[in-house]
Amino acid sequence: MSANEPMHISEAELRGMTADLDAMHHDLALPALHDSLAEWAADIHQRSTGDQAEETAAQALFGRRRFLTRAGVVAGGAAGAAMLAACSSSSSSSSSSAAASASASGGTATAAAAMGGEGQSLSGDLRVVGMAASLENSGVATYQAGIAAATAGKLGTVPPAVVNFAETAMAQHEDHQKAWNAVLTSAGKKPVTAVDPVIQPTITTAFTKVTNVTGLAKLALMVENIAGETYQNGLSVITSPAGIKTAASIQPVEFQHAAILYFILGQYPVPSAFTAVTNARSATDYQT
Amino acid sequence: MDFDETALGGLIEESKDTHADALRGAKAPLQDMVELGREARAGRGVDADESRAFASENRRRLLSTAKRAGGLLGVTGVIAAIAEFIGSPAFAASATDVQVLQTASSIEVLAVSTYKTALGLPYIGGSSANPVIKTFATTTMQQHTDHLAAFQAATTSLGGTKQTKPDPAFVPVVDKAVASITKASPSSGALLVVGLALELENIAAETYVNNMSLLSNANAKKVTASIMGVEAQHVAVLNAVQALLKAGAAADITLPPPAAKLPAAAGSVGFPNAFYPTSQAAPATQGAMS
């Protein structure tokens, strides 16, 4: 077969292979993760009972800010794209960019989403969890914005495999976000639905310059590497064994996303023998 | 010097009683230690929390025994020394971390030798090989060599002996697979090589993911965390390559890939799990040295 001949694989065959792997994931990986999350939540709850009074005061202080933040943030659907677009519209007037084109659907409150976290006081492992949830929100928002731009024809021709990559990676980031927020809610905290306040401005600025698949892949690669490195760094910070299990189960997946993105960009997919933490977000970056 | 033999006999008897008490006190934790060792050798691994709890509980028990014995006899000194040792951070690290790191080394040894064998095949490392597959096999073998060196260094830094032999549980499996590969045609052989590599990479990644919650030493954690994502990346690439080979599309294994030609599902075949599983993880002490 030459490189120009059509592939002998059918969509159905590939989907069948993917379905088999997906079934394994649901039969084996997810139940194990649920056990870890429940164990971690119980551990955190046990440790944090002494901090309740302080927490209540902090929640009252930041209540208004949380309302403003949550009002314009990801509630599912296309809100992430709108959020990213709205943020971008405030930093760039480029009408040719995908972000600017999508900004019409963005709400004014979305700017608040990029300003900070949820306003609740988090400490210890929960601070890592809060920061991780906000980072995942930024990941979801990035892919949502990219898919919206592609659908609107703003990125030129987008191969179906690239669309499928973006949709699957976004769904996995949503799963990660839900996992982190499940820990928060199990510990009696509010879920973090805001985007990452520190990295979001960088993403927003970069997205204004995205005009094609290559640009979007480069941006997504940056987000994936930051996420992977952040969880890798978190593994040295998190104290609960169940929490370590959770972070350890997510870190490799972010780096797998990165490997496929390198491939899409024509770069070697496993560029280093060791993943670094130089771009990792610190848990202390989480803004209360 | 005059001896009161009766008094001396009494003292000796008393010392024997004390010695017996001391040994009785030591018996339970030592049995527990033996049991931990048996569990490790049976391949069930060592739970880090259980190890730490064991150290904490028995350190108190042993020191109490030594105190009751008055510290007069050598055996109580020995017990106190054992108690201090198992209660120390070095025990927590050495009892589990060294074994975990040795197991990781044994997996890396096997991975390096497997890729080396594969590169000896003309359709993997020779002139007829797909350039992307050849580069991947060559680079991945080097990365596993680097991983091996890192795990061995982490082992010796904890006072352990570096593992240089392959994981004994997987060697027969790999040998059997290699025997099949050498008899296969290039097209089916390539698929078998990728399947074997995928199996090993998944075992490595899942083992390291699983090991993260067992390790106590900060350096051991950092080393393992910096490697497991790389193994997962190898898995992602191999998943994609395997799908293309199974589809008879070896020519489409290029860098960059012919994205426009690929079906949609090819975009996600590399990373099927939102959370990395551990069902194939090797027992943490499977490759540990006795």
Side-chain angles (χ1 to χ4, degrees):
Chain A
M1 170 188 271
S2 75
N4 294 324
E5 288 176 336
M7 281 184 62
H8 297 155
I9 191 169
S10 70
E11 186 76 19
E13 286 172 327
L14 256 183
R15 286 204 182 281
M17 291 163 61
T18 307
D20 288 344
L21 291 169
D22 192 50
M24 287 175 61
H25 174 56
H26 283 88
D27 289 347
L28 300 171
L30 287 181
L33 177 77
H34 289 157
D35 289 347
S36 289
L37 290 174
E39 187 184 336
W40 194 8
D43 187 33
I44 288 170
H45 184 69
Q46 196 173 17
R47 293 184 200 181
S48 65
T49 47
D51 300 332
Q52 289 298 321
E54 182 187 347
E55 186 63 35
T56 303
Q59 284 176 354
L61 181 63
F62 291 103
R64 174 177 162 72
R65 183 179 169 188
R66 181 184 306 123
F67 171 77
L68 288 173
T69 303
R70 297 183 72 183
V73 192
V74 195
M83 170 176 62
L84 189 57
C87 295
S88 70
S89 67
S90 66
S91 59
S92 170
S93 59
S94 170
S95 59
S96 63
S97 74
S101 69
S103 66
S105 60
T108 54
T110 54
M115 289 172 58
E118 292 288 318
Q120 63 187 327
S121 175
L122 300 175
S123 60
D125 284 0
L126 284 182
R127 195 163 195 180
V128 180
V129 174
M131 192 267 297
S134 68
L135 186 56
E136 293 293 348
N137 288 331
S138 282
V140 171
T142 301
Y143 282 109
Q144 280 182 332
I147 292 167
T151 304
K154 301 296 181 184
L155 303 181
T157 302
V158 183
V162 173
V163 174
N164 181 258
F165 166 82
E167 289 173 342
T168 307
M170 182 180 73
Q172 292 185 342
H173 283 297
E174 286 174 338
D175 287 345
H176 299 167
Q177 182 252 42
K178 287 172 186 170
W180 295 122
N181 275 330
V183 175
L184 289 174
T185 53
S186 296
K189 307 295 182 184
K190 301 288 184 186
V192 172
T193 54
V195 291
D196 185 301
V198 174
I199 199 66
Q200 190 59 48
T202 303
I203 295 173
T204 301
T205 301
F207 195 78
T208 63
K209 298 168 185 169
V210 170
T211 58
N212 53 31
V213 169
T214 299
L216 183 62
K218 286 180 179 175
L219 176 57
L221 179 60
M222 179 191 78
V223 174
E224 297 290 1
N225 274 329
I226 289 173
E229 292 185 24
T230 298
Y231 301 145
Q232 185 172 321
N233 190 55
L235 286 165
S236 297
V237 178
I238 297 168
T239 57
S240 162
I244 291 172
K245 285 179 188 174
T246 304
S249 73
I250 295 176
Q251 182 254 29
V253 178
E254 315 299 38
F255 282 124
Q256 285 188 316
H257 295 166
I260 300 301
L261 287 164
Y262 279 123
F263 214 71
I264 290 171
L265 290 167
Q267 299 173 29
Y268 191 74
V270 192
S272 176
F274 303 93
T275 50
V277 292
T278 48
N279 293 309
R281 299 264 287 100
S282 167
T284 55
D285 284 350
Y286 179 81
Q287 296 177 5
T288 57
Chain B
M1 188 176 178
D2 295 329
F3 290 97
D4 181 341
E5 290 194 7
T6 305
L8 184 61
L11 278 173
I12 291 172
E13 197 61 34
E14 190 178 325
S15 75
K16 283 180 180 175
D17 291 344
T18 306
H19 179 66
D21 285 343
L23 287 179
R24 272 195 293 275
K27 193 176 178 183
L30 289 173
Q31 280 179 336
D32 288 347
M33 286 179 76
V34 169
E35 188 57 35
L36 278 175
R38 282 182 181 150
E39 282 188 11
R41 285 191 293 277
R44 292 196 294 273
V46 174
D47 184 275
D49 290 339
E50 184 184 340
S51 179
R52 280 190 288 271
F54 164 80
S56 173
E57 177 190 342
N58 289 298
R59 179 175 178 272
R60 282 195 301 273
R61 198 194 306 176
L62 284 167
L63 286 174
S64 173
T65 300
K67 193 176 180 181
R68 282 201 309 275
L72 296 173
L73 300 174
V75 68
T76 57
V78 171
I79 290 173
I82 293 173
E84 289 300 335
F85 172 67
I86 67 171
S88 69
F91 176 79
S94 63
T96 303
D97 290 23
V98 166
Q99 293 177 324
V100 166
L101 292 167
Q102 287 172 337
T103 296
S105 298
S106 73
I107 292 172
E108 297 295 342
V109 170
L110 191 58
V112 171
S113 68
T114 302
Y115 278 103
K116 188 176 181 181
T117 300
L119 282 164
L121 298 166
Y123 52 89
I124 298 293
S127 57
S128 62
N130 175 304
V132 173
I133 291 178
K134 183 177 179 179
T135 299
F136 177 80
T138 305
T139 307
T140 303
M141 184 180 74
Q142 182 56 50
Q143 290 179 338
H144 282 298
T145 303
D146 294 342
H147 298 169
L148 172 60
F151 281 131
Q152 288 177 332
T155 304
T156 53
S157 74
L158 290 176
T161 303
K162 66 180 182 183
Q163 174 61 282
T164 58
K165 292 185 168 56
D167 188 312
F170 297 129
V171 169
V173 181
V174 172
D175 286 347
K176 189 178 177 183
V178 169
S180 299
I181 288 166
T182 52
K183 296 173 188 169
S185 65
S187 58
S188 59
L191 198 51
L192 289 172
V193 168
V194 170
L196 176 60
L198 190 51
E199 192 77 12
L200 282 176
E201 296 287 2
N202 250 327
I203 287 170
E206 295 192 19
T207 300
Y208 306 156
V209 168
N210 196 50
N211 287 349
M212 284 307 304
S213 61
L214 302 177
L215 292 166
S216 302
N217 178 266
N219 183 53
K221 279 185 181 178
K222 284 180 181 174
V223 168
T224 305
S226 72
I227 291 174
M228 65 186 188
V230 175
E231 315 300 37
Q233 290 185 321
H234 294 161
V235 168
V237 174
L238 287 165
N239 272 334
V241 168
Q242 186 183 57
L244 291 171
L245 288 176
K246 283 184 175 178
D252 286 330
I253 302 172
T254 59
L255 191 63
K261 290 174 63 182
L262 300 175
S268 61
V269 75
F271 52 100
N273 301 307
F275 302 94
Y276 217 87
T278 56
S279 57
Q280 288 192 76
T285 57
Q286 183 169 277
M289 300 168 76
S290 57

